[in-house]
Amino acid sequence: TVAEGYLAVGDRVAVEDLGVRRRQLRPGTGRRQLDRVVQQLAMVAPEGDPPRRVRPPRLPAGSLVYVFSTFLDPEAADMARAWRRSGQAVIAVDVMPRVRTGRLDARHWLAYRLVTLERRDRLDELVAAGVELVHWADVAQTTERLQLAARRAHRRPGTQR
């Protein structure tokens, strides 16, 4: 949906799957690029632990970067912070669904709490680094927040945010 919106107004869109190294979709425009994006996303599947990246994939200057992740592990957050440090506008989209915890026993509740605290710290660090954070599960505000973040990202450097 995000790619479709940008392609509809003539922007270039690329896809980089941080889970594997070989699936990069180069920047492009138009209907055929949308078909490629959909195909790329349909092929996304877990493949074990990918090799650790030394540096984030290179991006053209002035790119608006969306990072879709559950942020359960640090790699997506590390890449988002690195892109932000390099001057890119970055929007982190937290796609973690609401978790049902009603039937957890004490041991599983403790494990859930530990993972939740690590994840919350990771998200707080992103915000502190200047990354815009959007929670996908918050349907009422997601579209509005994405549009506002995209408008902010397209302002000239040095203007008020």
Side-chain angles (χ1 to χ4, degrees):
T1 302
V2 172
E4 184 176 25
Y6 283 102
L7 289 168
V9 295
D11 285 341
R12 293 172 13 143
V13 173
V15 176
E16 177 76 34
D17 184 350
L18 295 176
V20 294
R21 295 248 178 130
R22 67 183 181 285
R23 284 199 207 125
Q24 177 191 4
L25 179 61
R26 295 186 186 279
T29 61
R31 178 67 194 173
R32 292 184 75 184
Q33 183 70 359
L34 178 59
D35 292 341
R36 289 185 204 104
V37 168
V38 170
Q39 176 69 25
Q40 175 93 10
L41 296 176
M43 301 302 289
V44 171
E47 294 185 7
D49 288 334
R52 187 90 174 126
R53 291 175 185 263
V54 176
R55 63 179 75 82
R58 294 181 57 170
L59 301 172
S63 295
L64 173 58
V65 181
Y66 283 88
V67 178
F68 293 85
S69 178
T70 58
F71 297 100
L72 289 170
D73 58 52
E75 184 159 6
D78 292 345
M79 294 295 115
R81 278 195 308 277
W83 280 317
R84 185 67 196 117
R85 276 192 310 272
S86 71
Q88 306 295 351
V90 181
I91 301 172
V93 183
D94 175 15
V95 297
M96 183 76 164
R98 297 195 200 297
V99 178
R100 293 184 219 144
T101 58
R103 295 184 179 181
L104 297 179
D105 61 25
R107 187 177 59 150
H108 289 110
W109 175 252
L110 178 60
Y112 168 75
R113 287 294 300 145
L114 289 172
V115 170
T116 300
L117 289 172
E118 275 185 355
R119 184 176 171 280
R120 186 174 301 143
D121 287 347
R122 198 170 286 127
L123 294 175
D124 289 345
E125 289 170 4
L126 281 176
V127 172
V131 174
E132 182 81 26
L133 179 63
V134 177
H135 298 279
W136 194 259
D138 186 4
V139 178
Q141 293 183 358
T142 299
T143 303
E144 180 181 330
R145 298 260 331 266
L146 286 174
Q147 290 172 342
L148 179 61
R151 277 195 299 270
R152 274 194 230 143
H154 282 91
R155 290 186 182 157
R156 289 190 321 248
T159 60
Q160 287 290 73
R161 286 198 151 203

